[in-house]
Amino acid sequence: MAHSRSHHHLLLLPAPMATACLLLATLLALCAAPAPTHGARVLMPGGAGAVTKAQQGGTGSGSNATADEYLAPHNQARAAVGVAPLRWNAGLASAAAGTVAQQRRQGGCAFADVGASPYGANQGWASYRARPAEVVALWVAEGRYYTHANNTCAAGRQCGTYTQVVWRNTAEVGCAQASCATGATLTLCLYNPHGNVQGQSPY
Ligand SMILES: *[C@@H]1O[C@H](CO)[C@@H](O)[C@H](O)[C@H]1NC(C)=O
Ligand SMILES: *[C@@H]1O[C@H](CO)[C@@H](O)[C@H](O)[C@H]1NC(C)=O
């Protein structure tokens, strides 16, 4: 299922830190992504932050089976903490598709630069053909390190992908996945409005 064999390969950035850690994130992604530990199945979360501009239009309820694969685990995690479900936004999905396609073309399917847009972004890189629900489950699993009572993440852990998933003020999401020549997959979800506002509790 969705776990990483080697925790030192886990990479995850909460949005407020995205810019500061961008270089580090890129280096880690480039080092870790193209060459996982000799055939081991690796699935790692990455970059809660912001990415590219979503195209206008295409909003609304045009969800389908692919969308539901992303939406269902998001909304299950949100329901678990009493937060309203996300809606699918085809414009965000299209923007996500453009970004992961670009990462595929540039080689290695490395994590995208998530520092520059108004949208929230969760990424996941897998050394294999990971299902969307599996990637979302990995983000949600970071919630085990999050304590809502004091809005903190356990020392040495990152909770940013989880807190974006359950962020109350986020209303819509669009996601896409690229399959790379190596067999790896890069998954990206974009969130509007973005979550992980510094100093605020997600819900
Ligand atoms: C389903 O949604 C995905 C993600 O937005 C999109 O790439 C795909 O084209 C859609 N398929 C159909 C049949 O609408
Ligand atoms: C927040 O609460 C958790 C669980 O009680 C605790 O382990 C942690 O030390 C607390 N963190 C802060 C910064 O108070």
Side-chain angles (χ1 to χ4, degrees):
M1 300 302 288
H3 70 280
S4 168
R5 289 181 179 222
S6 45
H7 284 272
H8 60 276
H9 278 139
L10 284 172
L11 169 62
L12 187 150
L13 293 173
M17 296 173 59
T19 304
C21 297
L22 185 59
L23 179 59
L24 177 61
T26 303
L27 290 173
L28 286 172
L30 289 174
C31 292
T37 51
H38 299 291
R41 280 163 66 91
V42 175
L43 175 59
M44 54 184 178
V51 174
T52 64
K53 282 178 281 188
Q55 285 132 27
Q56 289 302 315
T59 59
S61 55
S63 65
N64 59 36
T66 303
D68 288 342
E69 255 205 276
Y70 291 101
L71 272 178
H74 274 92
N75 289 338
Q76 194 172 13
R78 292 170 70 88
V81 294
V83 173
L86 296 173
R87 296 183 308 273
W88 190 253
N89 181 308
L92 291 174
S94 173
T99 298
V100 294
Q102 186 175 4
Q103 296 307 108
R104 178 179 54 207
R105 282 194 303 272
Q106 289 175 351
C109 271
F111 287 132
D113 176 339
V114 294
S117 106
Y119 302 108
N122 279 353
Q123 301 187 71
W125 184 91
S127 62
Y128 58 97
R129 195 65 64 92
R131 299 300 311 171
E134 197 176 2
V135 178
V136 179
L138 183 71
W139 300 335
V140 170
E142 298 295 330
R144 87 187 80 154
Y145 304 120
Y146 177 71
T147 303
H148 185 243
N150 55 19
N151 191 26
T152 58
C153 194
R157 300 291 182 177
Q158 296 291 341
C159 302
T161 57
Y162 169 73
T163 52
Q164 173 59 88
V165 167
V166 298
W167 198 267
R168 186 190 295 280
N169 288 341
T170 297
E172 50 191 15
V173 66
C175 310
Q177 201 168 53
S179 301
C180 301
T182 57
T185 46
L186 178 66
T187 306
L188 169 65
C189 286
L190 298 179
Y191 302 84
N192 184 50
H194 70 79
N196 290 341
V197 178
Q198 206 157 17
Q200 291 184 15
S201 182
Y203 58 89

